[in-house]
Amino acid sequence: QVQLVESGGGLVQAGGSLRLSCAPAGSFLGSTVMSWYRQAPGKQRELVANITHTGLTTYVDSVKGRFTISRDDPKNTVYLQMSNLKPEDTGVYYCYIKGKEAPWLAELDYWGQGTQVTVSS
């Protein structure tokens, strides 16, 4: 199974911005759903943002107006632009792609390894 590679995490002050990226490391046909999840220390993983192959987006209430999810289908890449970051946005961010590597293969769930985002107050 191809691995997803994430990048863009780091340490930022409150009010700052970061852009996360995620793409398959190898050959990939395409996806139907691309998402970003996050897990804060001591908390369960939560869905942050979701984008379908038609471009329909959904966000958790706490990030609406601050985060934007987008996708580049030719590159099989999903992005998360995070602005006006708050300390409560701190956590490990995971990308998720539901897709397939080849036409004859089943659609599978793919997860990134996680990237740390830390927002200081």
Side-chain angles (χ1 to χ4, degrees):
Q1 189 175 31
V2 70
Q3 302 297 311
L4 300 184
V5 178
E6 302 179 21
S7 62
L11 173 64
V12 65
Q13 288 189 330
S17 299
L18 285 174
R19 187 192 194 208
L20 306 183
S21 300
C22 171
S27 178
F28 203 80
L29 180 64
S31 66
T32 52
V33 176
M34 292 178 155
S35 309
W36 287 95
Y37 288 74
R38 69 184 176 191
Q39 187 164 20
K43 295 187 177 181
Q44 289 188 331
R45 188 177 299 189
E46 68 169 348
L47 176 62
V48 176
N50 192 72
I51 184 167
T52 69
H53 66 287
T54 62
L56 180 65
T57 59
T58 56
Y59 299 91
V60 66
D61 286 345
S62 60
V63 308
K64 286 180 180 178
R66 301 187 298 120
F67 290 12
T68 301
I69 189 171
S70 60
R71 57 190 288 164
D72 184 335
D73 286 334
K75 297 180 180 179
N76 288 305
T77 301
V78 58
Y79 304 96
L80 186 67
Q81 177 67 48
M82 305 184 291
S83 302
N84 191 21
L85 282 160
K86 303 177 180 180
E88 51 264 41
D89 294 319
T90 294
V92 179
Y93 283 69
Y94 300 90
C95 67
Y96 163 82
I97 294 178
K98 186 176 187 65
K100 56 174 64 178
E101 297 176 42
W104 56 89
L105 295 176
E107 194 171 46
L108 299 176
D109 299 321
Y110 298 83
W111 288 92
Q113 80 284 0
T115 185
Q116 177 69 44
V117 171
T118 303
V119 184
S120 63
S121 57

